[in-house]
Amino acid sequence: MAATAAAATTAPQPSAEESRLAQMFAQDRPSIDAAVKSYISLVCAKMLTATPSDEAAAAEAAGMDASSSSSSTATNDPMPGAPSDTLIGIVPTRPLVPTTGGMSTQQQVLGVGRVILKAVNSFKFPIHHTVATELIKKPGISDQKKKLLLETQVVSQLWNGLVDSKQKPSRFLGRRALQHAWKDMEVSIPSDNGGPADVQQKQAQWLEEFGRLLFVDSATVGDVDDDSALLWDADGGQNELAKRRQRRQTGAAGNQDDGGGGGGSSSSNDHQIVPAS
């Protein structure tokens, strides 16, 4: 008992900045769970509304036969396992028809979601990330690097603590924490999942896109559709949807005069993390 009390007394207490960062990570919303569900809905909605020319272009870019990726028909049966999320209004309410191998598009995308969440909830930060204090003290390290090292230390302690206590980080942490973890996580579509090669290729592309959207800085996107906002904005993407409606209305009015229009998501992805303010 005395030894335990002594250990508790001598254990380093978190600094004020560490406590602030821990609270920031814990309160970051939406959660990873919610963002993955939103991404599933987003991909399904895009596939449902894609035109034949869209599908052909996507298939050509992926090196696939356009007919193998087509999902142009739907039935009236309820969608099994439809995700509940913040994108009501653009989420398809009908199931997407089975494609190659008998897997519907929704089943394929749900498979990607399961891969992401399994990787998230089984991941643990390397031990050296949890004790970055000594690195921070080294001379020559920039203030920005020090802030990032401290952030990594705090989030890794929170993340590993959740895993050790049999809790799921995806339920309690959000985008900021996942940005720190993503580069060290091994997230890939398993080659032995039984799906056809073209399905696995599409799933790999969706997985890559999720990772890209994770690091999009909405402040630099400009006046185009920002899918990352639909996943990660605290308002569930409502402001982004309102902007899209306004752009569509403005574009429709402009098309009457000059026949112009168009636009789409555009943003770079270098997987860089900027220290939190």
Side-chain angles (χ1 to χ4, degrees), residues 143-259:
D143 289 342
Q144 184 181 48
K145 182 64 174 179
K146 288 179 181 179
K147 289 179 180 179
L148 285 176
L149 285 170
L150 187 60
E151 274 195 34
T152 301
Q153 173 177 297
V154 172
V155 72
S156 61
Q157 291 172 349
L158 282 173
W159 190 296
N160 289 2
L162 287 168
V163 175
D164 289 341
S165 61
K166 310 301 181 183
Q167 300 292 323
K168 294 183 176 181
S170 65
R171 292 182 178 177
F172 298 97
L173 300 174
R175 182 183 200 176
R176 189 70 185 177
L178 186 57
Q179 287 177 332
H180 280 276
W182 190 259
K183 63 181 182 297
D184 292 321
M185 289 172 54
E186 295 183 0
V187 193
S188 61
I189 302 299
S191 58
D192 59 349
N193 67 356
D198 64 328
V199 170
Q200 292 185 26
Q201 189 172 19
K202 282 195 295 183
Q203 290 178 314
Q205 291 171 345
W206 292 330
L207 178 58
E208 181 180 359
E209 177 67 0
F210 179 85
R212 187 189 71 80
L213 294 175
L214 175 64
F215 290 90
V216 168
D217 181 0
S218 295
T220 65
V221 169
D223 193 26
V224 295
D225 290 355
D226 177 16
D227 286 346
S228 69
L230 298 178
L231 275 59
W232 296 110
D233 276 9
D235 67 353
Q238 294 306 307
N239 186 51
E240 170 64 16
L241 291 175
K243 289 180 179 179
R244 292 187 182 196
R245 286 191 291 269
Q246 182 60 47
R247 280 196 293 271
R248 303 300 184 265
Q249 292 171 1
T250 303
N255 286 342
Q256 295 178 359
D257 298 326
D258 56 25

